[in-house]
Amino acid sequence: MTDSPSIVVAGASGYIGKALLPKILEKFPNAQVTALSRSAQKSDDPRITWKACDLFSLKSVEEAMPSSVDLALYLVHSMGPTAALDQGSFADYDLLLADNFARVLRRTKLRQMIYLGGLIPETAHMSLHLQSRLEMEDVFNQYELPSTIFRAGLILGAGGSSFQILLKLVKRLPVMLCPRWTQTLTTPVDLETVLNAISRASLAADHIGRTYDLAGCQPLTYVEMMKETARRLGLKRYFIPVPFFTPTLSRLWVRLITGTPKDLVYPLIESLEHSMVARPKYFFSDESKGRTYFELLQSAFLETRSNRTFFHFRAQRKTVRSVQRLTLPEGKDAVWVKNRYLTWLPSFVSPFIGVRTDGETSYIFLRFFNINLLVLETSLERSNADRQVLYISDGLMVSGEKRGRLEFRVVLNRQFVLAAIHDYKPSLPWLIYKYSQALVHLFVMWAFGRDLETSDQGRHSEKQAGN
């Protein structure tokens, strides 16, 4: 084992990350830890170097990452705001973040990467939230990283978002209407079990290439957890089954009672339609045997927190992020997608808008007045066959203060291409932009996605005809 391992923690300022740092340093007292966070942090421990890192920016990850990494811990989940206007699902955001991290990690001398994801039900029809957790694993496998995967359900602790929702429901409702999802089985786990598992598996060769389920006790339903939590708090609560409560009503109800942001509530409630039970043959340890949920609560911090603590990041004022997942036609790459977009766009928005390209510069202009709306500069330095980066350098629709970038990125073993706009600040007044240009952009990207699908279907038809 390396005496002074180089360790990188992505998501170090989060609930799990902050608790894990002391554990990792306890196991590796001579380690040099690079802690990545959206915003600058400070530490009195000379072994920890905090770096502000925008995981949406491949360049930012490259600059923050040490040249040599022994252990990387990935604790990032994107269900919070990233800009003043977010256009895209958290699943596509998570996919892009993980892809950035993995692309940079593969260039280091990485010995192990540990990812903490969620329990996965054994069903073909999963919620978007659970599909996203599986996709993260697929990303790390795609880049052939030496990975150890941990899957955990509801993690008990004051900083756990799911546990905070449960606590607030129990504390605020003397009588609780219980929709069907409250009868779903799950396997909760205490924070200490999670931290011990990650610490023990760190830089342990026999855990590389393995996937583990974490459990703190035997499986139980959500309504049973709420009853036991009420008993632990000394509260008398009544629980009434209401089978006709739809997921939509449940989301609104939970959000109303707990005040939790919808970015958290909606994905979590959708996931609760499935039983999420840890599989005994994939247990990391047998610590959960014989323990009860009530016993786990003895060590859990049962104070509720302000909803403002869910998301520590404050978006830059009036910035836009838009990430759209499009089907990548077979045999095509990011260069082809970029060129297709620049030739397809003027035909789609004709006769009002045109596109002309001069070398690596493309001009999207208003035809009758010959006014440049957007000027896109392809970066040869930052682009390759799998990723095309176009900096928004000028144009009537761009604020001179922050221009942003457009990228086309091939992901998930060439199944998809992400069309993404980052850090764009429009010149239009904000409200006008939100209900005009922003909506037009979504419609254009939807139509372009349809064009790519049609192109792929046409290629398959020709291939079948040739056979």
Side-chain angles (χ1 to χ4, degrees):
M1 181 180 294
T2 305
D3 291 334
S4 303
S6 172
I7 301 174
V8 173
V9 183
S13 62
Y15 167 50
I16 303 295
K18 282 185 175 179
L20 184 59
L21 286 176
K23 280 280 187 183
I24 292 297
L25 288 173
E26 180 182 337
K27 181 173 183 178
F28 306 109
N30 297 318
Q32 291 300 310
V33 177
T34 301
L36 305 183
S37 173
R38 283 178 172 180
S39 55
Q41 307 276 334
K42 292 183 179 180
S43 173
D44 295 329
D45 193 324
R47 297 170 296 177
I48 301 176
T49 301
W50 284 92
K51 291 187 178 181
C53 178
D54 177 10
L55 286 175
F56 281 101
S57 166
L58 185 62
K59 185 177 182 180
S60 181
V61 179
E62 290 169 346
E63 292 172 346
M65 189 78 70
S67 58
S68 180
V69 178
D70 295 298
L71 172 65
L73 304 170
Y74 194 77
L75 310 171
V76 176
H77 298 302
S78 177
M79 291 201 295
T82 71
L85 176 62
D86 281 296
Q87 292 182 315
S89 71
F90 69 88
D92 292 343
Y93 283 7
D94 268 343
L95 177 55
L96 196 152
L97 298 178
D99 191 76
N100 271 341
F101 196 68
R103 282 176 187 246
V104 178
L105 268 186
R106 66 176 175 174
R107 305 171 193 170
T108 68
K109 298 176 182 178
L110 181 69
R111 293 170 54 195
Q112 184 188 23
M113 196 209 73
I114 295 178
Y115 166 61
L116 177 63
L119 290 177
I120 304 298
E122 295 182 341
T123 176
H125 304 287
M126 287 184 287
S127 69
L128 183 62
H129 180 223
L130 298 177
Q131 290 177 35
S132 175
R133 295 297 173 257
L134 266 183
E135 283 186 348
M136 299 302 96
E137 299 178 18
D138 292 339
V139 168
F140 300 131
N141 290 331
Q142 170 190 340
Y143 289 102
E144 299 181 344
L145 301 179
S147 303
T148 302
I149 307 296
F150 284 107
R151 296 175 176 176
L154 185 147
I155 300 176
L156 276 64
S161 55
S162 298
F163 188 58
Q164 278 289 303
I165 292 173
L166 185 146
L167 272 179
K168 289 177 180 179
L169 289 175
V170 171
K171 287 186 175 184
R172 296 176 181 179
L173 292 176
V175 179
M176 196 176 309
L177 301 179
C178 296
R180 188 169 48 201
W181 57 262
T182 61
Q183 299 296 330
T184 303
L185 277 175
T186 190
T187 309
V189 61
D190 54 303
L191 177 61
E192 194 64 21
T193 294
V194 175
L195 301 180
N196 286 338
I198 295 176
S199 175
R200 286 170 52 189
S202 294
L203 293 181
D206 54 330
H207 294 303
I208 294 175
R210 304 283 300 275
T211 296
Y212 297 106
D213 287 1
L214 298 177
C217 62
Q218 296 302 305
L220 71 167
T221 66
Y222 285 92
V223 72
E224 288 172 336
M225 281 197 292
M226 289 189 285
K227 289 178 180 179
E228 289 295 282
T229 302
R231 184 163 74 94
R232 171 71 176 84
L233 291 168
L235 298 173
K236 192 172 185 64
R237 294 292 183 257
Y238 299 92
F239 300 89
I240 303 173
V242 184
F244 58 81
F245 244 44
T246 65
T248 299
L249 285 174
S250 295
R251 291 189 312 228
L252 294 173
W253 168 65
V254 171
R255 187 183 175 197
L256 175 66
I257 298 302
T258 65
T260 306
K262 69 175 182 178
D263 294 323
L264 274 176
V265 170
Y266 286 19
L268 292 176
I269 294 297
E270 288 172 3
S271 299
L272 298 184
E273 294 184 39
H274 311 287
S275 291
M276 287 183 285
V277 177
R279 303 161 297 176
K281 67 177 181 179
Y282 291 98
F283 278 0
F284 182 78
S285 68
D286 294 328
E287 293 177 7
S288 64
K289 285 186 176 179
R291 288 198 298 183
T292 66
Y293 175 75
F294 192 81
E295 289 172 336
L296 294 188
L297 289 174
Q298 302 302 314
S299 60
F301 188 69
L302 301 182
E303 292 296 322
T304 52
R305 293 188 173 185
S306 165
N307 293 316
R308 288 176 294 181
T309 64
F310 278 124
F311 302 132
H312 304 285
F313 174 73
R314 179 171 292 179
Q316 295 184 53
R317 189 168 179 265
K318 296 184 179 178
T319 56
V320 179
R321 189 182 313 281
S322 181
V323 179
Q324 313 304 319
R325 183 186 308 212
L326 313 175
T327 299
L328 180 67
E330 187 177 337
K332 305 303 182 183
D333 60 13
V335 178
W336 181 89
V337 173
K338 180 197 75 172
N339 292 335
R340 177 84 174 192
Y341 177 72
L342 293 174
T343 55
W344 168 87
L345 182 62
S347 64
F348 180 71
V349 294
S350 178
F352 307 105
I353 295 174
V355 177
R356 67 176 182 275
T357 299
D358 182 6
E360 302 306 324
T361 305
S362 296
Y363 304 87
I364 301 176
F365 62 94
L366 202 57
R367 283 186 185 274
F368 303 113
F369 302 97
N370 199 27
I371 297 175
N372 291 329
L373 301 177
L374 294 171
V375 179
L376 308 175
E377 302 273 356
T378 300
S379 172
L380 296 178
E381 179 186 3
R382 304 297 304 166
S383 300
N384 54 42
D386 283 341
R387 180 172 178 259
Q388 289 289 296
V389 180
L390 298 87
Y391 290 108
I392 305 172
S393 61
D394 203 353
L396 185 66
M397 302 177 76
V398 185
S399 167
E401 183 181 339
K402 197 166 189 69
R403 291 173 173 155
R405 65 189 185 277
L406 166 68
E407 73 167 320
F408 296 99
R409 175 195 298 249
V410 175
V411 292
L412 282 182
N413 291 308
R414 315 193 70 77
Q415 295 180 65
F416 305 104
V417 59
L418 295 179
I421 291 177
H422 303 284
D423 301 326
Y424 169 62
K425 188 170 183 181
S427 59
L428 285 173
W430 187 247
L431 282 177
I432 295 176
Y433 169 80
K434 282 184 67 175
Y435 298 105
S436 60
Q437 184 185 339
L439 298 179
V440 169
H441 171 73
L442 286 180
F443 178 69
V444 168
M445 295 315 301
W446 173 83
F448 181 54
R450 294 290 298 164
D451 176 74
L452 294 183
E453 291 177 7
T454 302
S455 171
D456 199 34
Q457 292 168 359
R459 194 199 65 78
H460 281 297
S461 298
E462 291 177 4
K463 186 175 179 180
Q464 291 176 351
N467 291 335

